[in-house]
Amino acid sequence: GAVVSQHPSWVICKSGTSVKIECRSLDFQATTMFWYRQFPKQSLMLMATSNEGSKATYEQGVEKDKFLINHASLTLSTLTVTSAHPEDSSFYICSARVPLGSTETQYFGPGTRLLVL
Amino acid sequence: AQSVTQPDIHITVSEGASLELRCNYSYGATPYLFWYVQSPGQGLQLLLKYFSGDTLVQGIKGFEAEFKRSQSSFNLRKPSVHWSDAAEYFCAVGGGATNKLIFGTGTLLAVQP
């Protein structure tokens, strides 16, 4: 149980285009999902908390207009990197929180590698 | 400030040897503590977690960790390492209403044959 998927697993795009990354909880409903960014040989940095039915909460320094998050349903959150630039190239990982009432644990997706040319 | 420190950036052990990865944390309240493993190019897999109760917790793949409040530590151990354990290991602390996780910088484990 507690499987999280991401799509696509990797994407290459041209500078200036937008890229959408999907995060799905496959066997449970997640009212809260998290988006992380990981640079090579570095740890995960939380970008934002995605709440179903409400606006995402962004961490300090993360541009809301650049990284659009939509949590449209209890099993799907999307991250759209708008007007992507080479410095946005990174590994993006989402996680989904197991619902309240059980132990508070985040389960992670396999990640999406973005390369902006 | 809340933080997690993994002092060892890189560790190499021989296959069959024991392993201990260190993790120290700074957290204002009672922490929830986690160890995750990440294989190259992959997401994170939960190895084990501590919320309360017995301070020695067992996880998957033969790993265990011990919570020591007096030392603010949550070290990960395995009695006999297998080549497939080569990966990067992240310690994380979280809790509270937001359940945000704060990750350490990770320890890259290499296993020698």
Side-chain angles (χ1 to χ4, degrees):
Chain A
V3 177
V4 178
S5 71
Q6 278 184 248
H7 178 80
S9 56
W10 60 271
V11 57
I12 301 174
C13 69
K14 292 181 178 180
S15 186
T17 61
S18 294
V19 175
K20 180 184 285 188
I21 303 170
E22 294 184 348
C23 177
R24 294 182 185 272
S25 56
L26 297 186
D27 50 0
F28 66 99
Q29 293 182 331
T31 54
T32 303
M33 292 183 174
F34 301 87
W35 287 96
Y36 295 84
R37 186 172 180 176
Q38 185 181 32
F39 290 104
K41 301 186 186 302
Q42 294 187 25
S43 189
L44 281 75
M45 299 301 296
L46 179 65
M47 298 175 65
T49 302
S50 171
N51 298 295
E52 188 270 336
S54 65
K55 291 183 179 180
T57 303
Y58 291 82
E59 295 301 298
Q60 191 172 7
V62 177
E63 298 177 60
K64 302 179 183 181
D65 296 331
K66 181 163 191 61
F67 299 100
L68 300 179
I69 291 173
N70 183 17
H71 197 147
S73 75
L74 288 171
T75 59
L76 173 65
S77 175
T78 60
L79 168 68
T80 301
V81 183
T82 62
S83 186
H85 289 93
E87 57 266 31
D88 299 323
S89 299
S90 190
F91 193 50
Y92 292 88
I93 306 177
C94 73
S95 72
R97 186 172 75 176
V98 173
L100 289 174
S102 60
T103 52
E104 297 286 327
T105 302
Q106 290 183 31
Y107 291 90
F108 286 80
T112 296
R113 189 163 303 282
L114 170 64
L115 177 61
V116 184
L117 301 177
Chain B
Q2 300 166 357
S3 65
V4 177
T5 301
Q6 292 181 246
D8 304 304
I9 297 173
H10 182 257
I11 283 182
T12 300
V13 299
S14 298
E15 190 168 16
S18 63
L19 171 70
E20 182 170 28
L21 302 182
R22 296 183 291 167
C23 173
N24 293 95
Y25 67 89
S26 174
Y27 198 77
T30 300
Y32 295 162
L33 294 158
F34 305 83
W35 275 100
Y36 287 89
V37 60
Q38 184 181 33
S39 297
Q42 302 293 315
L44 276 69
Q45 181 182 22
L46 179 67
L47 285 177
L48 48 77
K49 59 191 176 186
Y50 171 79
F51 292 149
S52 65
D54 192 347
T55 56
L56 183 63
V57 293
Q58 302 297 321
I60 62 171
K61 303 185 179 185
F63 286 92
E64 66 177 28
E66 186 171 12
F67 171 57
K68 293 184 177 180
R69 185 185 298 276
S70 61
Q71 299 177 19
S72 297
S73 69
F74 188 58
N75 294 348
L76 182 71
R77 300 194 294 251
K78 186 170 185 178
S80 177
V81 170
H82 188 261
W83 64 266
S84 60
D85 293 324
E88 187 148 25
Y89 292 79
F90 291 95
C91 180
V93 63
T98 63
N99 197 35
K100 291 182 182 180
L101 288 181
I102 300 169
F103 284 87
T105 50
T107 297
L108 184 61
L109 173 66
V111 180
Q112 287 182 332

